Amino acid sequence: MKTQYVHPRLILGSSSLYRRELLERLKLPFETVNPAIDETPWLNEKPEDTACRLAETKARAIASQFSDALIITADQVAVLEGVQLGKPLNHANALKQLQFMRGKEVVFHTALCLLNSRSNRLQMRRIPYTVKFRELSDQQIEGYLAKEQPYHCAGSAKSEGLGIALIERMSGDDPNALIGLPLIALVDMLMEEKVAVL
């Protein structure tokens, strides 16, 4: 029996330019909505659990506004030696993060959520990606921060930009996860909802 594909309303719950650019690669029409939630980690919450909770919270916040849509959300946290590295938000915090990360392996946990607001069916995946940072001097870190100012990126580095020069090696199942939207997993999820990507 032939699969019946659907063309639902797709909403990306994010204000991130990079996530929007990634989703555009799938050539599907979509809208963007800023979920505007409190992203503060809970006390004693594991970083990977924070990412999943926030991705789901974003999706449910948007579902309250759209009753018949597929809502795509994601959240990312970086972890080094058990310490969660969030968005630095300013130069001083970014400098401290990158000094802490130099010469070490950092795991970026990206949680991806797809919520069907009509059926309330929720799919969730967590995609880890490991990044080994170069042994950087303070001068190199300052030079990078002056040029890119990655103050709204978990871990203070944009691998899709000049941040790639900070990295010695990377490993994981989907390089898009590091940028913030794991497209390989998303295609699987969309297919589960009978959305034809190809």
Side-chain angles (χ1 to χ4, degrees):
M1 190 168 122
K2 192 173 179 182
T3 302
Q4 293 294 313
Y5 289 106
V6 296
H7 303 281
R9 185 177 192 179
L10 284 182
I11 297 175
L12 174 64
S14 177
S15 58
S16 166
L17 170 66
Y18 304 104
R19 287 191 177 120
R20 189 173 77 225
E21 288 175 346
L22 284 170
L23 187 53
E24 285 171 350
R25 293 184 191 177
L26 298 185
K27 309 293 186 194
L28 296 170
F30 68 93
E31 305 161 55
T32 57
V33 175
N34 183 350
I37 64 159
D38 179 2
E39 297 189 25
T40 306
W42 289 350
L43 188 65
N44 299 322
E45 184 177 39
K46 291 181 181 176
E48 54 269 36
D49 293 340
T50 299
C52 291
R53 176 179 59 82
L54 293 178
E56 181 174 350
T57 302
K58 290 174 184 178
R60 297 213 180 272
I62 292 168
S64 68
Q65 304 168 51
F66 300 91
S67 61
D68 190 10
L70 289 180
I71 301 162
I72 302 161
T73 57
D75 197 81
Q76 185 181 75
V77 295
V79 184
L80 172 58
E81 298 172 359
V83 177
Q84 182 171 330
L85 307 171
K87 297 172 184 175
L89 303 179
N90 61 51
H91 182 88
N93 290 339
L95 178 62
K96 285 179 193 172
Q97 278 192 353
L98 291 173
Q99 287 172 333
F100 179 44
M101 292 158 59
R102 61 182 160 200
K104 299 175 184 173
E105 282 193 349
V106 179
V107 179
F108 290 79
H109 294 279
T110 303
L112 175 67
C113 179
L114 181 67
L115 176 63
N116 183 326
S117 64
R118 173 187 273 186
S119 67
N120 203 35
R121 180 184 185 205
L122 183 134
Q123 297 181 65
M124 176 74 72
R125 293 213 196 156
R126 182 180 54 82
I127 296 91
Y129 208 82
T130 303
V131 176
K132 170 73 183 294
F133 283 83
R134 297 181 188 277
E135 191 64 64
L136 302 161
S137 68
D138 286 350
Q139 184 178 359
Q140 289 172 313
I141 292 171
E142 287 282 11
Y144 168 68
L145 292 176
K147 289 176 183 172
E148 193 147 72
Q149 301 176 9
Y151 305 139
H152 294 279
C153 297
S156 304
K158 294 182 186 176
S159 65
E160 65 276 20
L162 182 60
I164 198 70
L166 307 178
I167 296 170
E168 186 175 305
R169 66 175 180 271
M170 303 186 295
S171 62
D173 291 337
D174 186 345
N176 300 301
L178 186 58
I179 302 171
L181 192 67
L183 292 180
I184 293 173
L186 180 58
V187 168
D188 289 342
M189 291 175 163
L190 289 170
M191 289 173 67
E192 284 288 321
E193 288 287 349
K194 304 293 188 286
V195 176
V197 178
L198 297 176

